[in-house]
Amino acid sequence: MSEQDVGPIDYLAVEFPGGRLNGDGLAALVDLTERGIIRILDLVIAQVDADGSFVTVELADLDGDGELDLAVFEGVTSGLLDDEDIASSAALVEPGNAVGVIVYENTWAGPFVTAMRKAGAEVIASGRIPADDVIAALDALEGAEA
């Protein structure tokens, strides 16, 4: 097994109503990348037509303000995200909307995983707890403390 620091790989699919992207999340994505917290492996934007078909959109001036919004991610592709994945994500959004799909590495975890391997340990499982479950649990805890 490789000794390279590799963190867990995750994906997000984000729906953009009306296919409009206003750039609010872009600064946060760039910041996370520049600080080395995540590494973008794939980034695709697709416009979903009224019949459910979709067309991928070039990373360009997505919000129409005259500036290239995602130039830092232009051409980012790892091969982990394929047409079937994009089609599955496009099927989740309403016709006329757009979907952004991001595959990213949690680079913060890579050095930890490598250190554990060097100590003879292995990561044997990882997972994701849905945000709604976390919010509900925190709300219940907060309610119990009141």
Side-chain angles (χ1 to χ4, degrees), residues 78-142:
S78 68
L80 293 172
L81 188 64
D82 61 21
D83 289 340
E84 187 176 319
D85 297 318
I86 299 166
S88 295
S89 296
L92 298 173
V93 305
E94 293 293 321
N97 292 346
V99 63
V101 184
I102 304 168
V103 177
Y104 61 97
E105 174 192 358
N106 292 283
T107 51
W108 62 267
F112 171 74
V113 171
T114 299
M116 291 296 92
R117 285 189 181 137
K118 287 180 178 177
E122 284 293 329
V123 176
I124 58 170
S126 75
R128 175 88 38 208
I129 300 171
D132 290 343
D133 292 352
V134 173
I135 292 167
L138 293 174
D139 287 346
L141 181 61
E142 190 175 284

Side-chain angles (χ1 to χ4, degrees), residues 17-28:
R20 289 182 296 277
L21 290 76
N22 65 13
D24 288 346
L26 298 179

